[in-house]
Amino acid sequence: MDIHTNIPIKNLTTMKIGGNARFMTEIHTPEEIETVYKNAKKQSLPIFVIGGGSNVIAKDEGYSGIIVRIRIPGFEVIADDLNSTTIRIGAGENWDSVVKRTVDMGLSGIESMSGIPGTAGAGPVQNMGAYGQEIADTLQSLSVFDSQTGIFILLTNDDCKFSYRNSIFRDSAKGRYVIASIVLKLSKNQPQPPFYEALQKYFDEHNIKLFTQKVVRDAVLDLRNIKLPDPTNLPNSGSFFKNAIVEAWQTADLKKIDPNIPLYDMGDGKFKVPTGWLIENVGLKGQLLHGIRIYDKNALVLVNESAASYADLAKARDEIVRQVISKFHIQIEQEPLEI
Ligand SMILES: Cc1cc2nc3c(=O)[nH]c(=O)nc-3n(C[C@H](O)[C@H](O)[C@H](O)COP(=O)(O)OP(=O)(O)OC[C@H]3O[C@@H](n4cnc5c(N)ncnc54)[C@H](O)[C@@H]3O)c2cc1C
């Protein structure tokens, strides 16, 4: 295992911002996780785990510990019956390659999450989701290294306490577990309507009536190409803010502020408000703030056009948050975690 020193973290993230990491190493087997944690403990070095860096923002002061980049491979069918196939996937596998492989196998359950950058192992961290599917729907279990006890354990779906873009890995157990592999149970049935609103609209517009996993994947990739900037050309972290969740009692006031505000009933007394709509309706879509462009095709995405530092990004973010609070009295929340 090679240990690299003084590595610019911006080269490890898709936002391309931030200072240097004192150390960085890449891990290709679960056993290497144990080794790196043992050695880091001896030297009292903190550890930050990273996959593709598409949901991580690095600060300007850098990181004084060791960044551990997960590269563990693996794609193995571990159970198969009439209706489903269960697959164990190494945490370092590229997520979209995994989706493509399962779609080619005629399996359903993750096809709507086509095109999401990053690794399979990071998926459960924020309960990755898109177009009506989230990883919690198909995740059976995970093999994780518990940095508190120093042993590998199996976590079940219930253990992860998944909710909208959240899990224990971002919350109560933040930084505790390193995910080595995930197990997904996928269906052999064809995808069935009703589909997520934007996907159904796409099918209607293209007169698509026969739904296979590949049809859904191709539609999602097409939709994403239109709405999301490619981080290899335009550095970004996808949705920079989570969608806002408001209580039922707030909806009347919100409608008074703007009768057209979209409110999606989540069925639990709470309503989802698309944060992109809020940002657009304070007039910030397409604007450039401190070198950060609020993407003109999707105001939820912040593109690093010419920001010199994390400080610039923070100034742009705080300005957006302030304007949304000022008009709608809603506190919007950043999605990518910070190192
Ligand atoms: C253009 C674009 C579009 C996107 N679209 C979506 C979308 O539609 N839906 C969505 O949910 N997200 C989306 N994202 C965000 C991101 O791609 C996902 O959250 C993805 O799952 C992150 O994977 P990653 O490997 O890059 O994780 P990283 O950014 O490397 O890490 C994210 C978090 O997970 C932790 N982590 C990573 N790997 C492990 C591991 N093996 N064990 C423990 N912790 C780990 C890190 O410490 C960090 O806290 C998008 C991002 C971009 C740039």
Side-chain angles (χ1 to χ4, degrees):
M1 189 190 325
D2 293 334
I3 308 281
H4 308 275
T5 48
N6 230 11
I7 295 294
I9 312 174
K10 66 177 175 193
N11 295 344
L12 305 177
T13 71
T14 58
M15 191 54 119
K16 302 275 177 253
I17 266 178
N20 285 3
R22 189 170 165 209
F23 300 111
M24 192 279 280
T25 190
E26 297 203 332
I27 273 182
H28 299 91
T29 64
E31 294 70 35
E32 284 178 343
I33 302 178
E34 213 172 332
T35 311
V36 88
Y37 270 81
K38 259 192 201 150
N39 291 337
K41 200 172 173 187
K42 274 188 216 148
Q43 297 170 49
S44 308
L45 275 179
I47 292 184
F48 188 87
V49 172
I50 203 167
S54 60
N55 214 22
V56 168
I57 305 291
K59 292 193 175 154
D60 295 330
E61 59 262 39
Y63 189 63
S64 60
I66 175 159
I67 294 189
V68 172
R69 204 176 189 196
I70 304 294
R71 287 284 174 267
I72 301 169
F75 187 98
E76 183 195 356
V77 172
I78 55 171
D80 192 49
D81 61 31
L82 211 58
N83 305 312
S84 67
T85 300
T86 305
I87 306 170
R88 181 184 299 120
I89 300 153
E93 289 286 337
N94 173 273
W95 173 252
D96 190 52
S97 306
V98 169
V99 178
K100 182 173 183 316
R101 252 176 113 168
T102 63
V103 164
D104 290 345
M105 290 163 75
L107 298 172
S108 302
I110 54 174
E111 64 281 3
S112 296
M113 290 189 276
S114 292
I116 301 180
T119 55
V125 174
Q126 73 147 353
N127 188 15
M128 161 179 67
Y131 295 99
Q133 287 178 345
E134 49 186 25
I135 199 160
D137 302 338
T138 49
L139 187 86
Q140 293 284 290
S141 62
L142 312 90
S143 167
V144 299
F145 177 75
D146 182 348
S147 63
Q148 273 182 15
T149 58
I151 54 170
F152 280 90
I153 54 166
L154 212 66
L155 295 180
T156 64
N157 184 306
D158 280 351
D159 292 332
C160 301
K161 299 201 171 43
F162 288 121
S163 58
Y164 169 67
R165 296 296 171 273
N166 209 7
S167 73
I168 55 162
F169 307 109
R170 277 179 71 105
D171 196 11
S172 56
K174 194 171 166 187
R176 174 170 177 179
Y177 298 114
V178 187
I179 299 167
S181 63
I182 63 171
V183 173
L184 301 180
K185 186 173 181 181
L186 302 174
S187 163
K188 291 185 179 174
N189 294 331
Q190 300 276 296
Q192 294 293 329
F195 293 104
Y196 193 75
E197 201 180 313
L199 201 50
Q200 185 60 55
K201 191 164 166 257
Y202 180 96
F203 292 142
D204 293 344
E205 281 168 8
H206 291 78
N207 202 20
I208 295 170
K209 296 197 170 71
L210 193 68
F211 307 111
T212 64
Q213 292 83 355
K214 183 160 185 333
V215 164
V216 173
R217 173 171 165 82
D218 289 346
V220 167
L221 289 175
D222 211 12
L223 282 165
R224 293 182 72 95
N225 276 339
I226 298 164
K227 280 189 65 182
L228 288 163
D230 177 354
T232 51
N233 307 323
L234 297 169
N236 76 90
S237 304
S239 304
F240 194 83
F241 299 100
K242 294 183 183 188
N243 281 317
I245 309 291
V246 299
E247 304 290 333
W249 60 264
Q250 291 173 279
T251 58
D253 279 350
L254 287 169
K255 279 190 189 141
K256 266 188 225 153
I257 298 167
D258 190 328
N260 297 319
I261 189 165
L263 295 160
Y264 297 100
D265 192 345
M266 296 177 73
D268 56 358
K270 294 190 162 87
F271 286 76
K272 185 155 95 179
V273 189
T275 298
W277 186 94
L278 297 173
I279 296 171
E280 187 173 347
N281 281 273
V282 294
L284 285 174
K285 195 178 189 178
Q287 300 288 311
L288 186 70
L289 297 176
H290 308 283
I292 297 290
R293 176 80 64 192
I294 295 124
Y295 195 49
D296 60 353
K297 298 188 188 90
N298 179 357
L300 210 50
V301 178
L302 303 188
V303 174
N304 174 13
E305 207 168 277
S306 56
S309 61
Y310 170 87
D312 282 347
L313 173 65
K315 274 188 243 161
R317 173 198 61 204
D318 294 350
E319 179 60 19
I320 297 165
V321 170
R322 193 191 60 73
Q323 291 204 29
V324 170
I325 292 179
S326 167
K327 178 159 181 187
F328 294 105
H329 317 300
I330 293 176
Q331 172 87 43
I332 56 174
E333 197 189 324
Q334 178 176 320
E335 184 184 288
L337 291 167
E338 295 189 349
I339 176 173

